[in-house]
Amino acid sequence: MKALSIGSFDSFWKAALLTGGVAAWCLPAWNVIVNPYQIFKTEYSIGSRYTSSTTNERYLKVEYLLRDAKERSPDSAEAIVSTINRELSGERTVTKSPQRDAFIVGSSIMGLVDPELLNKRFPGRTFYNLAFLAAKPEEILATLKALKRKGVPIKTVVYGLEPIAFTDIKSYGPAYRLHPEAGGETKQRVIFDYLFASSLSEGLGRLINEARGMHSVRYAIDGNGRYFLDRYDQEIARDQAAFINKQFPVNAKPANAPPWIKSRFDDFEALVKWLDDEKVDARFYLNPLHPYVMKAYGEDRLEAFRTKIAELTRQKHISDCTHLLATDQHANQRFYDYKHFRDVESETVINCALSETNDFI
């Protein structure tokens, strides 16, 4: 009886250890194969690249720009091997596309802007859309510093601002983690954390979308950096009236916007100073707002925001595009939702942003 008890106890712990070991490796396997944050390589993962709604722009855009800068360096191993191979084969030197030296920054509102619109306005510059979902000034500064430190040229920056970024108190998960170079962590630590990140809901959402063949969003990380709201565009093309009724309920009453976060303005001031110290041609403007958002903040608070931004940027001219897309009864046709204007409005917005006459100072 005693021997049986010991044997049973021993078998129980062996089974428990085996079960625990399998369970411990289920999560890393899930994160690599389902890849909801798109951190891991495509050869190990399912589905289309950069089509997860939880794609980590902060990490992937910086990783792409750093890799591009490294490959362009004449001293890099990749460049040396490529030159040797061309010489041995007698091939001519291949002219690469211009290096990105100018950046669109800001929140997801800016993420929809096509960099080509800026390339036309700034001859000799090549823009990349470096905007992040829910980006804060502190994150933008840390990212630009990291890129500069690693040899990425930063000559021009266009930053569209809105009050939401200075009042948002929401906490964000792994999809919003900065690149190690910007966040001050080791790459090994970040990758390890992503292996064991809690991602059940994010992963299930990705699997469902892949099964349906439908993507709500698509990122051009390895291209110009912008993103596309494919599902919204498809719904608009199918039935614009139904889309508007779904996105903008009739007689929706806006709640009062939360108070200003003083530290955000301090971080923004630090960003402005760094850009000035680095001799970067920085352009700031105020993004268009939906009437619903303007009512939530109120004209007095919006005016205070304009004044504060003008004070911190110390620019002689800042374009105020706040009311640009809300001047008639068709405002709902010009926005995807209460925050994001449609990408077809981007050229109108950029024309306003870079106008020499549309100022409030």
Side-chain angles (χ1 to χ4, degrees):
M1 187 72 176
K2 184 176 180 181
L4 179 62
S5 298
I6 294 174
S8 299
F9 183 78
D10 190 46
S11 298
F12 168 79
W13 277 109
K14 286 180 179 178
L17 288 172
L18 178 61
T19 302
V22 171
W25 285 106
C26 281
L27 185 56
W30 168 271
N31 282 325
V32 171
I33 296 172
V34 180
N35 203 9
Y37 306 117
Q38 300 287 275
I39 296 300
F40 301 105
K41 295 182 178 180
T42 52
E43 53 261 41
Y44 308 125
S45 306
I46 64 171
S48 305
R49 188 64 163 160
Y50 307 138
T51 56
S52 172
S53 60
T54 50
T55 296
N56 187 342
E57 295 176 284
R58 288 161 170 78
Y59 183 101
L60 293 163
K61 288 183 176 181
V62 172
E63 185 74 2
Y64 168 70
L65 291 168
L66 293 181
R67 184 172 66 249
D68 182 65
K70 183 178 180 181
E71 290 173 353
R72 290 174 184 275
S73 171
D75 298 325
S76 69
E78 294 87 347
I80 293 172
V81 171
S82 179
T83 300
I84 293 173
N85 288 337
R86 284 197 303 270
E87 291 177 350
L88 291 174
S89 62
E91 294 180 7
R92 294 181 179 180
T93 301
V94 178
T95 303
K96 288 188 175 183
S97 59
Q99 184 173 19
R100 278 85 172 177
D101 58 4
F103 300 94
I104 298 168
V105 300
S107 70
S108 56
I109 295 176
M110 298 298 292
L112 287 163
V113 176
D114 187 347
E116 187 58 33
L117 296 173
L118 279 302
N119 292 339
K120 294 176 181 177
R121 302 298 293 264
F122 294 86
R125 295 281 182 265
T126 303
F127 274 82
Y128 182 84
N129 194 316
L130 194 59
F132 305 143
L133 273 67
K136 307 299 187 294
E138 179 184 21
E139 296 175 313
I140 296 170
L141 176 56
T143 298
L144 292 176
K145 281 184 174 181
L147 292 174
K148 182 79 174 182
R149 188 169 60 247
K150 288 296 183 176
V152 178
I154 302 175
K155 297 181 179 179
T156 303
V157 165
V158 174
Y159 187 174
L161 296 130
E162 59 280 336
I164 299 170
F166 293 82
T167 60
D168 183 18
I169 58 174
K170 184 179 177 181
S171 297
Y172 296 92
Y176 297 80
R177 188 168 183 168
L178 289 174
H179 189 278
E181 290 292 342
E185 301 174 281
T186 65
K187 192 169 185 178
Q188 292 79 4
R189 175 65 191 183
V190 171
I191 295 298
F192 179 84
D193 287 348
Y194 271 110
L195 278 173
F196 292 92
S198 177
S199 60
L200 180 60
S201 60
E202 293 88 343
L204 288 175
R206 174 164 173 74
L207 289 176
I208 291 171
N209 287 337
E210 287 295 330
R212 292 176 177 175
M214 176 184 66
H215 304 123
S216 59
V217 64
R218 172 170 48 91
Y219 295 91
I221 300 289
D222 296 342
N224 59 20
R226 64 160 298 191
Y227 72 91
F228 303 82
L229 294 176
D230 287 344
R231 188 177 67 189
Y232 281 176
D233 286 331
Q234 291 165 9
E235 290 181 8
I236 291 169
R238 189 163 52 246
D239 190 336
Q240 178 171 273
F243 175 83
I244 290 174
N245 289 336
K246 181 184 73 172
Q247 295 295 105
F248 306 101
V250 177
N251 299 323
K253 296 181 179 180
N256 293 329
W260 302 116
I261 301 174
K262 183 182 182 301
S263 62
R264 297 276 169 80
F265 291 100
D266 295 336
D267 294 337
F268 178 68
E269 185 176 22
L271 170 60
V272 172
K273 183 179 185 305
W274 183 85
L275 292 169
D276 187 51
D277 291 342
E278 295 293 329
K279 304 296 188 295
V280 176
D281 178 15
R283 308 293 181 91
F284 304 96
Y285 74 94
L286 302 187
N287 262 318
L289 298 179
H290 189 277
Y292 179 94
V293 175
M294 288 193 285
K295 288 179 182 178
Y297 281 89
E299 281 301 325
D300 289 344
R301 293 190 71 197
L302 289 177
E303 181 60 33
F305 180 69
R306 297 183 187 106
T307 302
K308 186 65 174 178
I309 293 301
E311 172 192 332
L312 295 178
T313 56
R314 303 186 297 275
Q315 287 192 187
K316 294 181 180 179
H317 171 86
I318 298 178
S319 292
D320 180 11
C321 306
T322 302
H323 294 80
L324 179 67
L325 305 180
T327 55
D328 55 38
Q329 68 274 26
H330 302 297
N332 289 346
Q333 298 177 14
R334 310 179 82 173
F335 286 81
Y336 285 116
D337 51 36
Y338 287 127
K339 184 178 179 181
H340 303 91
F341 55 80
R342 297 187 189 178
D343 61 351
V344 295
E345 303 291 345
S346 294
E347 186 168 6
T348 300
V349 173
I350 292 302
N351 288 339
C352 171
L354 301 180
S355 169
E356 294 298 328
T357 59
N358 184 31
D359 60 338
F360 59 83
I361 299 177

